[in-house]
Amino acid sequence: MTTTDDTPEDSRDEVYTGEDWYARDLSGRTFRDCSFIDCDWTEVVDDGAVFAGCTFANVMFNASRHTGAAFTNCTFRNCTFFDVQFTDCKLMGSQFTRCSFAAFEVDGGDWSFVGLAGAELKQSTFDGVRLREADLGEAVFTKAAVTGCDLSGAQLRGAQFTDADLRGSDLSSLEPLTVDLRGALIGVEQAAVIAVGLGMRVG
């Protein structure tokens, strides 16, 4: 399908294949149950757009900026996220499979029930993000900043937080013996939570 800058603001059940949307402004648009396959979204700007139930396969999101946008119940497969920023976005229920992340930043927003199992998120930044009941099992957060995040109910088994900054995040769902916390930076209250998780008594 060939698209131009005249793409309707409200699209449904559309399939976009091999599209070059370099630096396109998608602000305010709505896409429902659409598929994006082998598309280039490099430097796309997105302020307040809505993507509901969409599928992204082999999409390059490099250097794109998303603010106040919603990607709910979406599927991302084999997508590339290099130097991407999500600010106050909602990604509830979205699933990421075999995606690559580098210089990845998330500031605020609701990422509850997101599937990031096994994701390589080294040196990424998640600040003030709601990640309730997210699947982060086996995810790699080495040298990442996961600060002030709500991780209550999150699946963390096998996750690696080596040398990560976890200050201010809710670690109540963390089972210390099932994750790698070597060199992680935490606060005093978090240390007490982890101690209890190890069966210790805090006096």
Side-chain angles (χ1 to χ4, degrees):
M1 174 177 179
T2 301
T3 58
T4 67
D5 288 332
D6 296 324
T7 302
E9 290 194 7
D10 194 345
S11 299
R12 182 184 293 272
D13 298 319
E14 297 284 353
V15 177
Y16 303 91
T17 302
E19 299 288 341
D20 183 358
W21 285 14
Y22 177 82
R24 184 167 297 187
D25 188 346
L26 302 179
S27 299
R29 294 187 173 181
T30 298
F31 298 85
R32 300 185 186 280
D33 301 313
C34 294
S35 295
F36 302 86
I37 303 170
D38 299 320
C39 294
D40 185 355
W41 277 33
T42 300
E43 295 191 18
V44 157
V45 176
D46 163 18
D47 189 350
V50 174
F51 300 87
C54 294
T55 296
F56 300 85
N58 299 310
V59 175
M60 186 180 297
F61 286 88
N62 296 351
S64 59
R65 300 291 181 263
H66 310 272
T67 305
F71 293 81
T72 54
N73 296 311
C74 291
T75 299
F76 299 85
R77 293 195 302 268
N78 299 311
C79 294
T80 303
F81 295 89
F82 172 75
D83 188 26
V84 176
Q85 294 179 4
F86 286 92
T87 304
D88 295 325
C89 293
K90 180 186 293 186
L91 277 86
M92 292 179 64
S94 290
Q95 305 295 313
F96 295 80
T97 304
R98 297 187 301 277
C99 294
S100 62
F101 304 88
F104 186 68
E105 298 183 16
V106 182
D107 186 4
D110 193 342
W111 288 53
S112 299
F113 307 102
V114 159
L116 281 165
E120 290 277 348
L121 292 158
K122 297 177 182 178
Q123 298 182 313
S124 60
T125 298
F126 287 80
D127 184 39
V129 184
R130 190 178 191 186
L131 285 157
R132 298 189 67 178
E133 299 191 49
D135 186 355
L136 306 177
E138 305 290 339
V140 179
F141 289 93
T142 301
K143 295 184 178 179
V146 186
T147 52
C149 293
D150 182 357
L151 293 167
S152 57
Q155 171 58 257
L156 300 170
R157 181 176 291 273
Q160 298 180 35
F161 292 101
T162 310
D163 296 322
D165 185 350
L166 300 175
R167 289 175 297 177
S169 290
D170 182 341
L171 303 180
S172 58
S173 296
L174 188 148
E175 298 178 21
L177 296 178
T178 68
V179 299
D180 188 345
L181 293 169
R182 290 174 297 173
L185 179 60
I186 59 175
V188 175
E189 292 184 2
Q190 292 169 304
V193 171
I194 292 175
V196 171
L198 289 169
M200 300 177 181
R201 293 182 295 171
V202 180

